[in-house]
Amino acid sequence: MLVSAIIPTYNRAKTIQRAVDSVLAQTWKEMEVIVVDDGSTDQTVEVLKAYGDKIRVICQKNAGPSAARNTGIKAATGEIISFLDSDDEWLSSKTERQVKLLQCTE
């Protein structure tokens, strides 16, 4: 079951790496990482380029975090959508635990 992790960001060059790394470190490996840059004017996009094809980066004009989340949803291909703020991080087993709980309720 593919999980789409959507990270909206704006001028978070100092924190975005920690957020992305926490998604890439998930014990649940069926993940796609979509970062939506909402018109950053700092070095955020340059930081994200270092990830290459490990993540998908979408750049848009500044329209606010809700618009960035919606852009990410439209691009997502996962069966499950999960959001992470660009100044936050996940514990490594977060996604696996949530997916297993969702599978129990099917």
Side-chain angles (χ1 to χ4, degrees), residues 78-98:
E79 296 172 75
I80 298 173
I81 304 290
S82 191
F83 298 105
L84 174 62
D85 291 337
S86 58
D87 62 347
D88 205 352
E89 61 186 292
W90 288 343
L91 297 175
S92 63
S93 63
K94 176 240 189 246
T95 303
E96 182 174 6
R97 293 173 65 198
Q98 286 185 318

Side-chain angles (χ1 to χ4, degrees), residues 11 15 42 56 59 61 64 70 81 96 101:
N11 287 345
T15 61
D42 67 355
R56 185 168 168 199
C59 296
K61 290 184 180 181
N70 288 336
I81 304 290
E96 182 174 6
L101 284 171

Side-chain angles (χ1 to χ4, degrees), residues 21-99:
D21 287 348
S22 77
V23 177
L24 294 175
Q26 291 297 295
T27 56
W28 186 261
K29 296 302 179 190
E30 294 179 62
M31 303 280 300
E32 72 173 342
V33 183
I34 300 169
V35 181
V36 181
D37 181 76
D38 194 39
S40 292
T41 58
D42 67 355
Q43 301 300 313
T44 299
V45 174
E46 286 75 19
V47 171
L48 295 170
K49 284 180 183 178
Y51 288 97
D53 63 358
K54 292 180 184 177
I55 67 171
R56 185 168 168 199
V57 179
I58 300 170
C59 296
Q60 68 180 29
K61 290 184 180 181
N62 185 265
S66 295
R69 285 184 188 93
N70 288 336
T71 297
I73 290 169
K74 290 174 188 171
T77 61
E79 296 172 75
I80 298 173
I81 304 290
S82 191
F83 298 105
L84 174 62
D85 291 337
S86 58
D87 62 347
D88 205 352
E89 61 186 292
W90 288 343
L91 297 175
S92 63
S93 63
K94 176 240 189 246
T95 303
E96 182 174 6
R97 293 173 65 198
Q98 286 185 318
V99 169

